[in-house]
Amino acid sequence: MSNTTATRKPRRFLPVGVLLFLLFLLALVLHTVFDRVTPYTSEATLQAPVVGVAPNVSGTIIAVSVKDNQTVHAGDRLFRIDPLRFEAALKQAEANLSDAVQRVGASTAALSAAAAKVSDANAGLTNERAQTGRILQLAARDDASRAQADVARAKVVTAEAAVQAAEANLEEARRRLGPTNEDNPQIKLALAQYQRARIDLDDTDVKAPIDGRVTNTVLAPGQYASAGHTVATIVDTEAGWVVANLPENTLGNIKVGDPVLITFNVAPGRILDGRVASMASGVSQSVAAALEGPLPYVTQRRQWLREVQRIPVRIELLHQADIPTFRVGSRANVVVVTDKAGFVASLGRAWLKVVSIADYVF
């Protein structure tokens, strides 16, 4: 019995070091495959147009119609500047125009009314063009219907026709001055002053230029607003996108239009759909150069070891309404699903699901 035990060969096991090395190689291969066909990054943030609202005229604010973090629509009043001196300037301009017109035998009422209609028609056209541009952008992302886009285009055409009609009426009123006086410099000067005074009076009523949310803004009656200086800020909540910084060695298989899986830290456990809209053509090598030039700057995470350059990739959300809480700068995690992903795509989704659930804690 002892001889049999002595002659039995001992079992051989792989050394622990070899086993760990094989596991390391397997992990490295999987990491490389995932990076090439389903690139992932946690360095992604929500971005959106941030519009500063500055009045065209200076004056004391007498009424405020909004508060911080309030949702507004284009055309909603934000605040009103004291109009008294602008009303006085308009009356003076009307008087100057009346005096100039009477000197050449023209009708003050007809000319001033025609000029007012031109100003109103131009204001209406500007507003319709802004609204139409926004609706067309939404329609391009399938966030607005074609019918809405067609209605918006029709409104622009109508507004353009209104401007043409108003200008024709103004031209007719000018022609009534007679062939020898229609280019009278006194009339031109008085008419220009009248139109400017009317525009300044209209500008005392400051309105929202876009749909969005008022943020980081403190307005109060009695506050002095200076022309050209921002006194309110609006975040365009209908035009958000995600900027993801991806290592450039993972961009080889990414194409514009590739689907993207997105999870926001503010909504743990929820995965949203997006698509690759574009990739930056370059990045700045310093913060100072980025501030002075047009290229973005990507912060380096480590200084002691050279790392792969990361390139900003712009990602559009398929449905803006899916964004849980719209805050510019909100952190997100993304996985780009390339056309070479195959079965790895499901693994990428599973990994992102795990990451999103971890957001409950971290």
Side-chain angles (χ1 to χ4, degrees):
M1 183 66 179
S2 59
N3 292 336
T4 304
T5 303
T7 58
R8 184 179 300 170
K9 295 182 179 179
R11 296 180 181 178
R12 295 183 179 180
F13 297 95
L14 288 175
V16 175
V18 175
L19 181 60
L20 291 178
F21 179 72
L22 293 177
L23 290 175
F24 171 76
L25 286 181
L26 178 61
L28 182 61
V29 170
L30 290 177
H31 175 75
T32 303
V33 171
F34 286 172
D35 266 0
R36 295 304 181 272
V37 298
T38 55
Y40 162 81
T41 183
S42 60
E43 297 184 28
T45 55
L46 179 63
Q47 302 293 329
V50 178
V51 178
V53 179
N56 293 324
V57 295
S58 300
T60 303
I61 297 176
I62 60 172
V64 178
S65 303
V66 295
K67 57 184 179 180
D68 198 29
N69 292 323
Q70 177 179 330
T71 298
V72 296
H73 299 284
D76 289 350
R77 174 186 288 180
L78 300 179
F79 59 91
R80 183 167 173 77
I81 294 175
D82 190 350
L84 290 179
R85 61 189 179 91
F86 299 99
E87 291 172 348
L90 179 61
K91 291 179 180 179
Q92 181 179 357
E94 287 177 341
N96 292 340
L97 179 60
S98 176
D99 180 66
V101 170
Q102 287 179 1
R103 290 180 184 178
V104 294
S107 172
T108 304
L111 195 59
S112 61
K117 289 182 179 180
V118 170
S119 298
D120 293 341
N122 280 317
L125 177 59
T126 300
N127 183 62
E128 291 297 341
R129 282 176 173 170
Q131 295 304 312
T132 298
R134 179 165 304 280
I135 292 175
L136 292 180
Q137 289 180 357
L138 295 176
R141 300 195 300 267
D142 293 329
D143 290 335
S145 64
R146 292 184 178 179
Q148 290 176 310
D150 292 338
V151 170
R153 292 189 186 96
K155 288 183 178 180
V156 171
V157 172
T158 301
E160 290 174 344
V163 171
Q164 293 176 356
E167 289 176 344
N169 291 336
L170 179 58
E171 185 63 23
E172 179 64 22
R174 286 173 174 168
R175 288 179 180 177
R176 290 176 184 174
L177 297 176
T180 59
N181 296 318
E182 60 183 359
D183 293 326
N184 187 284
Q186 294 181 2
I187 295 293
K188 283 187 173 182
L189 177 60
L191 184 58
Q193 291 174 342
Y194 170 80
Q195 291 178 318
R196 176 58 186 270
R198 185 178 178 87
I199 291 172
D200 287 345
L201 179 59
D202 291 340
D203 285 340
T204 60
D205 195 11
V206 182
K207 299 178 180 179
I210 61 171
D211 295 342
R213 184 177 300 135
V214 179
T215 185
N216 196 30
T217 298
V218 179
L219 293 171
Q223 179 180 346
Y224 188 83
S226 299
H229 292 273
T230 300
V231 295
T233 303
I234 299 178
V235 175
D236 188 344
T237 55
E238 294 187 358
W241 66 88
V242 173
V243 174
N245 296 326
L246 287 168
E248 60 181 340
N249 60 356
T250 68
L251 303 180
N253 294 322
I254 297 179
K255 300 181 181 63
V256 173
D258 280 347
V260 180
L261 305 176
I262 309 166
T263 177
F264 288 97
N265 292 14
V266 73
R270 185 179 177 187
I271 296 179
L272 307 182
D273 294 318
R275 74 177 191 91
V276 175
S278 63
M279 290 177 280
S281 298
V283 293
S284 178
Q285 298 303 311
S286 67
V287 178
L291 294 175
E292 297 175 358
L295 294 178
Y297 174 74
V298 179
T299 305
Q300 300 296 318
R301 293 175 297 181
R302 54 180 183 242
Q303 303 297 330
W304 58 274
L305 183 65
R306 178 182 179 273
E307 67 173 337
V308 177
Q309 178 65 56
R310 285 163 295 144
I311 304 296
V313 176
R314 178 169 174 149
I315 299 167
E316 291 182 350
L317 287 96
L318 297 186
H319 303 288
Q320 292 287 327
D322 289 343
I323 300 177
T325 302
F326 200 106
R327 296 188 181 97
V328 173
S330 290
R331 299 300 297 267
N333 304 283
V334 304
V335 169
V336 181
V337 182
T338 67
D339 56 6
K340 299 182 183 300
F343 73 92
V344 180
S346 59
L347 298 179
R349 176 179 283 273
W351 167 250
L352 191 64
K353 189 68 174 180
V354 171
V355 171
S356 66
I357 293 175
D359 286 335
Y360 280 107
V361 180
F362 304 102

